[in-house]
Amino acid sequence: MAGVVLLTLVAATCTPSPPPQDNAGIVHASGSSISRDRPECPQAWDSIPLFAATKGRDTATATVGGWVGRQALGASGPITNIPEFHDCQMFITADGKSYDALYAIFASFKLDTVVNQLNIDSLSWASSDNAVATVNGAGVVTGVTPGAATITGTSTVDPSRNQAFALIVLPGPAGPDSTVYVGPGLPPPPAIRVGQKFTFAMTLAPPTKSTFPVGEVYTYGSGYTALGIGADFNCLYIYFDADKVITAKMVHVSAPALDGSTCATKSDPAKEIGTVLQVVRHLAARDADVPQAARWDFDRSNRQQYIGIKCGAAWCEIGQPGFVSSGDYHAAEGVTKDEARVIENKGWYDQQYLAMYDVATGKVAPTRIKGTVIPHPEPEPRVLKDYENTFVPIAYVALDVSEASAEAVQAYREKYGFVATPVSNFARMNRLDLCLGTASGCGVNPPSAATCAKTTLDQYAPGARWWVKLTPANGGSPKYRCVTRRLHANLAKALWPPVTARWRWLAMDETVWRECVVGCCEVEVDVDAPAW
């Protein structure tokens, strides 16, 4: 890819006073300054700001973890300054009415190495009694007659490694087909009915003796018990336990090494003191179909956060034992092959309960609007010239408002123009388009061209700027927003970010961003001003 466009949809005016969301010139208590090249999840722990903000305008910062005036804590590697790989969110409290602290998860730059060295086996499957239940090579079990049978998954690499699961078959009628994740520490497989199909999903490999962490977690708060996250700094491991089943462990680090080596060296995760977590692994057709990224996700059934992270040719969901996946792996009807790649595989897209700013209280609260932002799957890398005086589609938004209040729905309608719509093919969702040029060249008619910062690219005409057009799914009139583009400094080609899209947390609201050319483009919005 040629680079990244970060698109942030936030409620904020396009009048910079001070420059919107740049944090430029803000000096952290440790002495480092926040710059345009340090968005959302910066590369040094001492430059993660804690904002005391009024409607999103930074008024002060506080230090992180008590390491004031000391050497910055190194994060997991060279990708930690590229937010497309990572995720920062305010966690929703159990009652769903307010927010906990801000939590950041950084994907390790050794992510592929970590998982590939685990030697994940393929499995063969067998039933002890095919007259009761059959199982095919993909682990799809079908109930045949009432009774009991044992389903066994065996490593194709080493037949001595296997796991067996007792299964009860009940009389019909058949229930819906589903996937059942099996393994030590998980609930036993539920009874299956005659004619019903279960896909048994299990990953089996030799116990892990030594591996790198797959991620690092930081929080401003006291921690998050459900995931074993302690205050400040944590390392996340994925490994195979003594029962040969893929497992995760969150390890709290109370005194991180100042040289950045805390989560950068190999360890035997089974021997680390931490919280053991359940891993649910969703396989993809190809390794390239899953981006090297980490995300927060939300278990609506148990009101808990969990983690999504790339693990080989799969997306691994990590949570407290018994957590329930959001289940939102979309197989939208009528999608193209390229659309399917980013709709059906998590990591490319992001789903969050969106925030709404309350002018009366000066705080934000969950709206119960579940927003899904999905990137346009550019088959070829784009260059700046592609956006010149031309609006190019870059992302699509679906809104689930089934749990939301009418007030919240109206607020998001006024802010973005977006309407409630399910995840579908791109032609049926709300759309975001990006343009680089003058207001007239892009066909934008804002109150004043001066409301958006001009580009610093000399090859473009005076007055050239980045703009975003927000088009509702019902074909209504589009709205326009200013865009701030932050370059990714010293970005090696080998580390070009994935074409991902995500909701981004801001001090007063939430917004969307997406990969663009050698940087990230963020839509500026103000809580008190509708789009023009």
Side-chain angles (χ1 to χ4, degrees), residues 207-237:
T208 303
K209 297 300 182 183
S210 180
T211 189
F212 291 99
V214 295
E216 299 177 356
V217 177
Y218 181 80
T219 175
Y220 290 107
S222 59
Y224 190 72
T225 303
L227 293 177
I229 298 172
D232 298 337
F233 197 79
N234 305 264
C235 301
L236 176 65
Y237 293 90

Side-chain angles (χ1 to χ4, degrees), residues 113-132:
T113 304
V114 171
V115 180
N116 290 341
Q117 74 171 357
L118 297 182
N119 300 317
I120 296 174
D121 288 354
S122 59
L123 301 178
S124 62
W125 293 90
S127 170
S128 65
D129 191 341
N130 287 319
V132 173

Side-chain angles (χ1 to χ4, degrees), residues 114-243:
V114 171
V115 180
N116 290 341
Q117 74 171 357
L118 297 182
N119 300 317
I120 296 174
D121 288 354
S122 59
L123 301 178
S124 62
W125 293 90
S127 170
S128 65
D129 191 341
N130 287 319
V132 173
T134 61
V135 60
N136 66 16
V140 179
V141 178
T142 303
V144 179
T145 58
T150 299
I151 307 298
T152 303
T154 302
S155 164
T156 57
V157 177
D158 180 0
S160 68
R161 299 201 297 268
N162 58 74
Q163 290 288 330
F165 307 97
L167 180 71
I168 302 297
V169 179
L170 301 176
D177 296 344
S178 63
T179 299
V180 177
Y181 295 91
V182 290
L186 298 181
I192 188 174
R193 294 190 177 274
V194 172
Q196 188 176 9
K197 295 181 184 295
F198 278 175
T199 300
F200 270 26
M202 180 180 70
T203 306
L204 197 65
T208 303
K209 297 300 182 183
S210 180
T211 189
F212 291 99
V214 295
E216 299 177 356
V217 177
Y218 181 80
T219 175
Y220 290 107
S222 59
Y224 190 72
T225 303
L227 293 177
I229 298 172
D232 298 337
F233 197 79
N234 305 264
C235 301
L236 176 65
Y237 293 90
I238 293 179
Y239 62 105
F240 285 91
D241 64 16
D243 293 312

Side-chain angles (χ1 to χ4, degrees), residues 493-507:
K493 183 176 182 179
L495 293 174
W496 279 347
V499 188
T500 60
R502 194 167 72 245
W503 297 104
R504 178 189 177 195
W505 179 266
L506 295 182

Side-chain angles (χ1 to χ4, degrees), residues 44-65:
W45 291 112
D46 79 328
S47 59
I48 297 179
L50 179 61
F51 299 131
T54 302
K55 291 195 292 187
R57 304 311 186 199
D58 307 326
T59 59
T61 57
T63 56
V64 169

